[in-house]
Amino acid sequence: MFNGLDFYNLSDLFSEEEKMITQTVRQFVSEQFMPVVAGHHRSGTFPMDIIPRLGDMGALGVTIPEEYGGPGLSYFIYGLVMRELERGDSGLRSFASVQGSLVMFPIYRYGSEEQKRRWLPPLAAGEKIGCFGLTEPDFGSNPGGMLTRAKKTAGGWLLNGSKMWITNGSIADVAVVWAQTDDGVQGFLVEKDFTGFSAKAIEGKFSLRASITAELSFSDCFVPEENRLPGVKGLRGPLSCLNEARYGIAWGVTGAAMACYDEALNYARERIQFDKPIAAFQLTQHKLVEMVSEITKAQTLVYQLGRMKDTGRAQHFHVSLAKRNNVAMALEVARSARTILAANGISDEYQTIRHMLNLESVLTYEGTHEIHTLIIGQEITGESAFK
Ligand code: TGC
Ligand code: FAD
């Protein structure tokens, strides 16, 4: 039966390669991740054994060229991969976003040849894990105010400060850490066994439970000069990485929304009340139609954004519009799907509540909904309303 997951047949416009990769990742998620995700969500753990399998599939650093261990595919395919991963769980997509866009991208774009050769192949294979430290306890939306400082010393740098809410922080082999220096913000590759570096997992999360989030601390942590990213100075370094990850999120959340809509539609067809399937009630149909309309619009948005990104025409504010719109859309879809499932909608026997809770984090990270409003506002008015 027609289920509306691709209401406008956008997949007709995909190449054979795009269709094939979508199918491969979808099957992987359904066979290897779905059976374990609820357990990890309950225990607040990430399925570590899946990481090399993500690497084998080419899901880590999708656009990184083959000479550095990546599959060297298009941004459009990167988007499709993120969509299929987040159909499983935002935490699974987060893992791939951080590894690919926030760790491999800065090393590829701003790293030395030696840094690229050393880190990119094992990160692509999922043999090593990376994290990205920008946010601090007192500087989230305003990373330019960061207090973490790197001071030049003989042969390298002394790092002091802390980073907060860092995905994969306590399981990472290498952290891309952004710190203030006398010469502006710079990026450093901090290795897990460096003296003066520690990472502590954050407990008590009600969202993104199947994803590890940590606080990083640096106390006179010595970082050798060869671990500084030589290719960028200033806040545009970390912000340029965010453009990559936000792009993946804009695609990814369409997957979370599709999963919730699909579950609600199936439930509505089967659940009988007042001697009818609840899908027969006009109010339920209205909810489902709103969902399918919003998902379809969001899909068309990232479809065009993906083509723009692959032809070098996507700017940061285009990405902000898609991240802002699609995350809010996915959260609304999840909340509405939850009402269709009613009491069952609060149980992890169904996936909707997990997606709904996850999406609260996605609304906040990589630039809050409000920050993206102001980025777009600045672009169209020429006025900055941040400060
Ligand atoms: P502003 O003065 O506007 O800009 C400073 C410099 O940066 C340049 N720039 C950008 N460059 C590339 N891409 C962008 N998107 C850029 N936005 C700005 C700008 O041109 C300037 O360059 P230059 O060379 O002239 O110096 O900076 P501001 O301090 O006013 O801040 C602007 C603002 C608020 C938009 C920015 O700071 C921001 O985006 N804040 C949100 C912070 C954020 O998104 N943090 C995310 C942390 S990472 C994360 O959440 C990972 S979640 C991972 C997961 O699990 O998936
Ligand atoms: P704040 O900046 O304190 O904002 C509080 C509120 O004020 C928000 O509603 C915000 O929109 C609003 N606000 C702030 N400034 C303005 C303004 N100028 N105008 C209007 N409203 C404003 N960070 C990393 O560096 N690496 C990671 O891997 C990472 N992973 C994360 C994983 C999770 C699960 C979560 C929840 C967060 C993660 N983050 C990470 C941090 C995330 O990027 C920040 O939480 C986010 O940027 C917002 O910062 P904040 O929480 O300090 O909120």
Side-chain angles (χ1 to χ4, degrees), residues 63-82:
T63 59
I64 297 294
E66 289 179 62
E67 69 168 309
Y68 295 113
L73 296 168
S74 66
Y75 274 100
F76 197 88
I77 291 178
Y78 170 49
L80 285 168
V81 170
M82 295 300 116

Side-chain angles (χ1 to χ4, degrees), residues 54-187:
L54 287 170
D56 288 345
M57 204 168 50
L60 304 175
V62 174
T63 59
I64 297 294
E66 289 179 62
E67 69 168 309
Y68 295 113
L73 296 168
S74 66
Y75 274 100
F76 197 88
I77 291 178
Y78 170 49
L80 285 168
V81 170
M82 295 300 116
R83 184 184 84 180
E84 294 307 319
L85 294 181
E86 198 150 357
R87 240 170 130 158
D89 193 85
S90 300
L92 183 62
R93 194 270 308 137
S94 270
F95 184 92
S97 288
V98 169
Q99 185 94 341
S101 292
L102 297 182
V103 178
M104 296 174 72
F105 172 81
I107 295 174
Y108 174 64
R109 179 61 66 84
Y110 304 123
S112 65
E113 193 55 33
E114 197 189 340
Q115 289 166 349
K116 291 187 220 184
R117 300 254 166 237
R118 176 171 174 208
W119 289 108
L120 293 178
L123 287 164
E127 291 160 4
K128 296 274 183 206
I129 300 171
C131 70
F132 177 89
L134 179 63
T135 305
E136 299 189 355
D138 295 327
F139 294 92
S141 298
N142 177 24
M146 69 176 71
L147 298 175
T148 299
R149 221 181 147 74
K151 223 172 150 19
K152 193 84 190 78
T153 185
W157 301 76
L158 275 185
L159 204 55
N160 279 288
S162 64
K163 297 287 174 184
M164 190 65 183
W165 299 111
I166 307 306
T167 300
N168 296 342
S170 51
I171 55 170
D173 299 287
V174 62
V176 175
V177 177
W178 299 94
Q180 197 61 255
T181 71
D182 287 343
D183 206 9
V185 170
Q186 299 201 59

Side-chain angles (χ1 to χ4, degrees), residues 135 140-141 165 207 246 249 323 327 331 358-372:
T135 305
S141 298
W165 299 111
S207 173
R246 290 166 176 173
I249 290 173
K323 195 272 182 184
V327 178
L331 192 49
N358 284 341
L359 288 163
E360 293 289 349
S361 285
V362 185
L363 191 74
T364 286
Y365 69 34
E366 297 277 3
T368 64
H369 189 77
E370 294 78 13
I371 289 298
H372 288 293

